[in-house]
Amino acid sequence: MMIVDLIDGDDFRDRLVALGIRIPEGASPETCARMALLKHAEVGVPGLQELVQALGEQTDIMLPSVRAALERFLLPALR
């Protein structure tokens, strides 16, 4: 049996925080994506576009809430 590690809201938040985006603990994936987009629009976030691209290639192992936030807010803005 193969076990796949899913990308959940905490993983998503942690990856954004690692880029220097301040996001409150327990924030929803939608809030995380919106805050990342806002920070990117204000001052730019080095590495955000690469992260979004990498995550966009892994939507099959993402929880639906993370995929929806990524597709709604970050993918369209950073393509």
Side-chain angles (χ1 to χ4, degrees), residues 12-42:
F12 185 50
R13 179 190 171 276
D14 290 346
R15 291 176 192 211
L16 294 171
V17 168
L19 295 177
I21 303 166
R22 294 182 62 184
I23 300 173
E25 207 166 308
S28 70
E30 182 175 315
T31 298
C32 292
R34 291 174 70 168
M35 291 181 80
L37 187 57
L38 180 62
K39 176 81 171 181
H40 182 69
E42 289 176 350

Side-chain angles (χ1 to χ4, degrees), residues 47-75:
L48 182 60
Q49 188 163 0
E50 293 81 5
L51 174 64
V52 169
Q53 182 178 354
L55 289 173
E57 296 169 359
Q58 299 176 327
T59 57
D60 56 331
I61 60 168
M62 250 179 229
L63 290 183
S65 59
V66 176
R67 184 176 344 142
L70 184 71
E71 291 174 351
R72 181 172 178 201
F73 296 102
L74 294 174
L75 282 173

